[in-house]
Amino acid sequence: MRTETEEKEGKNRNSYHWYPGHMTKAVRQMQENMSLIDLVLELVDARIPQSSRNPDIDRLGAGKSRIVLLNKTDLADPEYNGQWVSFFRGKGISVLEINSKTGAGLKALNGLVQEVCSEKIKRDRSRGIVNRPVRAMVAGIPNVGKSTLINSLAGRACTRTGNKPGVTKGKQWIRLNKSLELLDTPGILWPRFEDAAAGMKLAFIGSMNDEIIPVEELALDLLAILKEQYPDSVKKRYQVDWGDGVTETLEAIARSRGCLIRGENLDLRKAAGILLDDFRAGRLGRMTLERP
Ligand SMILES: Nc1nc2c(ncn2[C@@H]2O[C@H](COP(=O)(O)OP(=O)(O)OP(=O)(O)O)[C@@H](O)[C@H]2O)c(=O)[nH]1
Ligand SMILES: [Mg+2]
């Protein structure tokens, strides 16, 4: 937590907090749901495949089959999509590169589910149970695309989706076909208190409620990363130069976009909002902020 002095001086900028109470409950719910399922479909955001993973998923999902779905690959750097796929395969985890919105990459899913659950299916058969569907939990951070994935697979809007965290409120079973049932769950932000950089990246992609986030600070942090990893993107989109520090860059963006308060002072908050929206929507280009 920040002290009051730190807050005033703007120190300790890189800490984005969320509510532990809410999370403990979420993790407990995930534990309960685990007892109902055979398979975890773990959605991760292709722009931050590391920070968008649940650090406890190995423990929570012990004994369950698992498929990692690298989602929103249309917003991520194609070069790194491939590298992340190799990374997960190298760890012995089945993985698919997908776009839940268009359904790209999803054709292979049914076959892969049968493959990773073959033991369970064999076990069922040996006990005389035929045609019991595989039950899969769709898990992942808020806003990663869980409900969109389910709708794409079902071919109809059976769950509610939206471009903000916290759209799905309770759990819901969806029967896709006679061999697969999916459990939609509310997104969970995992307890990564020790890792402020992960919290920051989760805020970049819109997994945290913007109302609890200092938007200007977040934009400055994003600019610092873009300056290093994708310097041309910002120059091209806003016709600005980087200047000495990122605060100057944000000011330049505000000028270039006419963000003014009462026609005089620069409205940095508004400029920060524009930058974050553009990044989230992919208007700055396809970007991956984490390397395997
Ligand atoms: N560009 C792009 N957008 C996607 C993709 N998948 C989902 N989205 C968008 O991401 C937003 C969030 O999708 P949801 O399916 O509601 O996310 P969720 O994981 O169910 O979120 P919660 O219910 O809040 O936990 C929506 O605006 C979707 O259209 C994708 O592969 N690419
Ligand atoms: Mg949802």
Side-chain angles (χ1 to χ4, degrees), residues 189-260:
L189 280 177
W190 337 107
R192 278 186 188 268
F193 295 113
E194 75 291 351
D195 188 351
M200 180 178 80
K201 290 179 205 155
L202 291 167
F204 289 160
I205 63 163
S207 223
M208 259 181 240
N209 204 327
D210 274 345
E211 277 142 45
I212 63 165
I213 291 171
V215 176
E216 274 176 63
E217 293 176 19
L218 187 66
L220 292 175
D221 286 332
L222 179 60
L223 281 173
I225 290 178
L226 297 183
K227 188 174 183 176
E228 221 169 82
Q229 298 186 3
Y230 295 98
D232 292 338
S233 61
V234 171
K235 285 165 89 170
K236 214 168 115 197
R237 172 110 191 132
Y238 307 110
Q239 278 90 45
V240 297
D241 284 317
W242 279 104
D244 289 334
V246 286
T247 309
E248 282 175 27
T249 317
L250 189 61
E251 286 167 1
I253 293 173
R255 268 192 298 275
S256 138
R257 286 295 148 119
C259 305
L260 297 170

Side-chain angles (χ1 to χ4, degrees), residues 5-6 52 135 211 217 220 236 244 261 288:
T5 348
E6 279 173 339
S52 58
R135 279 166 302 198
E211 277 142 45
E217 293 176 19
L220 292 175
K236 214 168 115 197
D244 289 334
I261 301 170
T288 302

Side-chain angles (χ1 to χ4, degrees), residues 146-147 160-161 167-168 184-186:
K146 298 176 294 297
S147 300
R160 218 158 69 79
T161 64
V167 172
T168 302
D184 191 15
T185 58

